[in-house]
Amino acid sequence: MEGHREEVVMRKGPWMAEEDEILMDYVKKYGPRDWSSIRSKGLLPRTGKSCRLRWVNKLKPDLKTGCKFSAEEERVVIDLQARFGNKWARIATYLPGRTDNDVKNFWSTRQKRLARILQTPTASKSQKNNGKAPVFHELSTLEAPRLGSISMEEESSLMSQTCQSSSYIGNPEVIKMVALPDLVKPSSLNLEPSLPEIEFPSIERKPYIDLLPQFSFPQLPEPVLDLPLLSENQDLVLDVFGHREISEPENGSQFSVGLPFFGLGNSDRNNVKGEGDNPTTPDSFFDDFPTDMFDYMEPLPSSSEW
DNA sequence: AAACTTGTCAACCGCAGAGAC
DNA sequence: CGTCTCTGCGGTTGACAAGTT
C-alpha cells in the first residue's frame, strides 16, 4: 500500500474553460476516442468517462445547447419513447443536435410535471373546480405504454381508466399531457377504484393508435449517426423538421397530435366550440380551458376524413 | 423583498457489453 | 476462460435560474 500511484487527484464537478480547450485540442488531434489517455498523458486530471461525457454533451459541434425542444422535437421524443421506451441514446439519434442527456432531461421534466399535476390536481393554477377533485394517492412511477405493442383493447381500457377520475377532467394540464401519445400507465396511477366512471357521450372516436401515421416513422428523420453525415443530410433533416428555427415561439404551432380521444375534429384551437350544446360534450368541456393548452396541438382532420 | 416552487442543465454513479490480454 | 479496461447507457442528483406566492 505505498500509495505512490494515482497521486493525481481526479477533478470532479463543473468544467473550466481551460479544461474544455484542452479537451477540444485532444479531440482535434486524436479524435473522440481513447478518453482514458487524456488522463494518462497528463493532459487533464479527469477520468476518461468524464472527458467523454463532456465532449458528447457540451463540446461536440452542432449541438443545440441552450435551445428548448421545439414542438416537432417534443413530438418525436414522445412518439419514440412510446415506441422504444427509455432508450434515450437511440431516440437522440433521430434528433440532430440533441444528446441522450437532453432527451432524458426533457422527458424527466415532463414526467415530473405530470406526476405533480396528478398528485395535486387542485394546485394547478388553471384549476377551476377547487375542492371537487379527489386527492390522488402517491404516484409511483409514470411510464408511457409501448404503443408498438399495445392492443386496441388495452388502449381502450387505458383511456377509460384515465378518464375515470373527475379530477382529470377538471385539469387541463392533465388533458394536455394525456392527449399526447403518452398515457400514464394506469396500473401505476392507483386510481380510486370506487370512483364513478365518467360516461363520455358516445363520440365517434378514432383510437389514437390508428392516428399514429400522423407521427409515424417515415416522417421521422433518419437517425443521425455521425456528424459529417448530419451536415451532408442537413437539408433533408431540415426538410423533415420543416424549418431552421430551433426554438419554437411560445404559441408554437404545428403539432399534429391533436385530441384523438375526444374526436375534437377540425377545431380552431382558439375556438373549440363544436357542434352541440350538450354540457357534457367534450367540446364544451374544453371551453373552460386556457387557449394556450392547445399550443402543441394541431386540429385533427375532420371526422369525415377518418 | 423574501421565501418557496418549479424547470433546466450538467455531471456523477453504477452497470453492462465488447474487446484485448 | 477469466480478468481488466474502455466505452456507452440510463438513472439520479444537485446547482442554479426563473417564476410564483
Side-chain angles (χ1 to χ4, degrees):
Chain A
M1 306 292 180
E2 278 96 335
H4 285 306
R5 301 193 320 169
E6 294 300 328
E7 284 199 4
V8 182
V9 179
M10 287 297 125
R11 248 184 71 77
K12 285 166 81 172
W15 280 66
M16 300 185 306
E18 308 85 76
E19 293 180 295
D20 281 346
E21 233 172 273
I22 293 169
L23 185 54
M24 294 282 275
D25 283 348
Y26 174 86
V27 173
K28 265 182 215 160
K29 267 190 200 165
Y30 305 102
R33 65 179 81 86
D34 294 332
W35 300 109
S36 297
S37 66
I38 296 175
R39 179 195 46 179
S40 56
K41 287 181 199 296
L43 296 173
L44 282 174
R46 295 271 188 177
T47 65
K49 261 176 113 166
S50 180
C51 293
R52 179 192 156 268
L53 201 68
R54 181 67 182 173
W55 168 258
V56 167
N57 287 336
K58 286 302 289 184
L59 302 179
K60 216 164 83 174
D62 299 335
L63 291 179
K64 292 182 185 174
T65 39
C67 298
K68 297 191 90 167
F69 272 55
S70 69
E72 278 297 326
E73 287 174 312
E74 291 189 21
R75 182 182 66 78
V76 170
V77 172
I78 290 162
D79 198 11
L80 291 177
Q81 201 281 341
R83 178 105 154 194
F84 300 145
N86 296 358
K87 300 294 175 192
W88 310 123
R90 188 171 180 187
I91 292 170
T93 62
Y94 289 85
L95 298 166
R98 299 296 185 186
T99 68
D100 56 347
N101 217 25
D102 292 335
V103 178
K104 200 162 52 180
N105 282 334
F106 163 74
W107 189 260
S108 80
T109 296
R110 200 166 164 281
Q111 292 298 89
K112 266 192 257 173
R113 192 163 66 234
L114 181 54
R116 182 174 50 80
I117 291 166
L118 293 179
Q119 283 181 74
T120 58
T122 54
S124 171
K125 61 175 176 186
S126 48
Q127 181 72 20
K128 290 190 177 176
N129 57 342
N130 277 346
K132 288 184 187 172
V135 176
F136 281 88
H137 298 301
E138 179 109 279
L139 208 60
S140 50
T141 54
L142 298 170
E143 187 185 338
R146 310 290 189 267
L147 292 191
S149 58
I150 193 169
S151 71
M152 289 286 293
E153 291 76 16
E154 284 170 320
E155 185 268 341
S156 179
S157 91
L158 199 85
M159 189 54 211
S160 79
Q161 287 184 62
T162 304
C163 292
Q164 260 184 352
S165 163
S166 58
S167 66
Y168 286 103
I169 303 307
N171 194 326
E173 289 288 334
V174 173
I175 299 298
K176 178 177 180 177
M177 300 185 78
V178 170
L180 300 175
D182 163 43
L183 292 169
V184 173
K185 196 176 188 174
S187 58
S188 69
L189 279 181
N190 209 3
L191 291 175
E192 194 63 51
S194 61
L195 285 172
E197 182 157 2
I198 302 288
E199 276 292 333
F200 279 89
S202 55
I203 311 156
E204 188 191 351
R205 177 172 84 78
K206 183 97 172 169
Y208 74 85
I209 199 156
D210 282 354
L211 296 173
L212 275 176
Q214 281 189 24
F215 34 88
S216 63
F217 292 89
Q219 278 185 296
L220 293 172
E222 287 299 309
V224 180
L225 297 174
D226 208 0
L227 284 170
L229 281 178
L230 165 62
S231 50
E232 278 174 31
N233 294 332
Q234 201 160 30
D235 286 342
L236 165 68
V237 169
L238 291 169
D239 223 34
V240 173
F241 281 97
H243 45 62
R244 252 162 224 279
E245 196 65 29
I246 286 170
S247 54
E248 291 283 326
E250 275 309 301
N251 62 351
S253 43
Q254 339 96 331
F255 197 30
S256 56
V257 169
L259 290 166
F261 310 124
F262 304 112
L264 191 66
N266 260 1
S267 56
D268 179 331
R269 71 170 192 274
N270 292 321
N271 177 18
V272 292
K273 271 196 207 306
E275 61 287 327
D277 296 316
N278 184 337
T280 58
T281 63
D283 287 349
S284 61
F285 149 63
F286 281 121
D287 281 351
D288 280 344
F289 296 166
T291 53
D292 70 345
M293 74 165 280
F294 299 110
D295 278 351
Y296 294 129
M297 300 175 186
E298 184 177 72
L300 285 174
S302 71
S303 52
S304 61
E305 293 171 54
W306 291 354

